[in-house]
Amino acid sequence: QVQLVESGGGLVQPGGSLRLSCSTSTFTLNYHAIGWFRQAPGNEREGVSCITRGGGTTYYADSVKGRFTISKDKSKNTVYLQMNSLKPEDTAVYYCAAKRTILSAELTCASAEYPYWGQGTQVTVSS
């Protein structure tokens, strides 16, 4: 059974930073594109940032460009989402998801394309 585990969420003041981690012990992330998605109450799930299996290509939603950075540490089988300059509108449950890909440059950030999901971690930005 594929299991993804997110960690690093919490409560932070506006302007603060958090680093989310996504890891698994059930398969190697080297063959998977990884995406970070978020869902706030009453909103649809949206793609925040995604990275190719090779780590060479990334995608960011316009709302987080310049503030969030996605990275993959193959040695730790972990993908990170560094979130800086956080805003109250970033408050949501953040999920990581995995999609096995054939081509190293293949990248999508559409949630429907990702079959494997973690349980989510809550991020709250509030003073």
Side-chain angles (χ1 to χ4, degrees):
Q1 183 177 356
V2 173
Q3 289 185 319
L4 293 168
V5 179
E6 303 99 334
S7 63
L11 172 64
V12 63
Q13 292 186 341
S17 298
L18 285 174
R19 188 177 77 160
L20 305 184
S21 299
C22 173
S23 61
T24 177
S25 60
T26 59
F27 63 94
T28 174
L29 298 181
N30 291 347
Y31 301 108
H32 295 75
I34 303 298
W36 283 99
F37 301 83
R38 67 185 180 187
Q39 188 166 21
N43 290 358
E44 294 186 355
R45 188 171 296 184
E46 64 168 332
V48 175
S49 182
C50 297
I51 190 167
T52 52
R53 57 182 273 179
T57 302
T58 57
Y59 162 87
Y60 296 95
D62 288 342
S63 58
V64 306
K65 279 182 182 176
R67 300 188 298 123
F68 290 11
T69 303
I70 191 170
S71 61
K72 178 183 277 191
D73 187 333
K74 295 180 181 180
S75 66
K76 295 183 179 180
N77 209 36
T78 300
V79 173
Y80 302 100
L81 184 68
Q82 178 66 44
M83 306 187 295
N84 299 328
S85 302
L86 283 162
K87 305 174 181 180
E89 51 263 44
D90 294 318
T91 296
V93 178
Y94 283 71
Y95 301 88
C96 72
K99 168 185 165 62
R100 187 175 176 96
T101 59
I102 303 300
L103 301 176
S104 61
E106 180 181 345
L107 184 64
T108 176
C109 219
S111 60
E113 298 289 327
Y114 284 77
Y116 309 118
W117 291 80
Q119 294 299 307
T121 184
Q122 176 70 47
V123 172
T124 303
V125 185
S126 175
S127 55

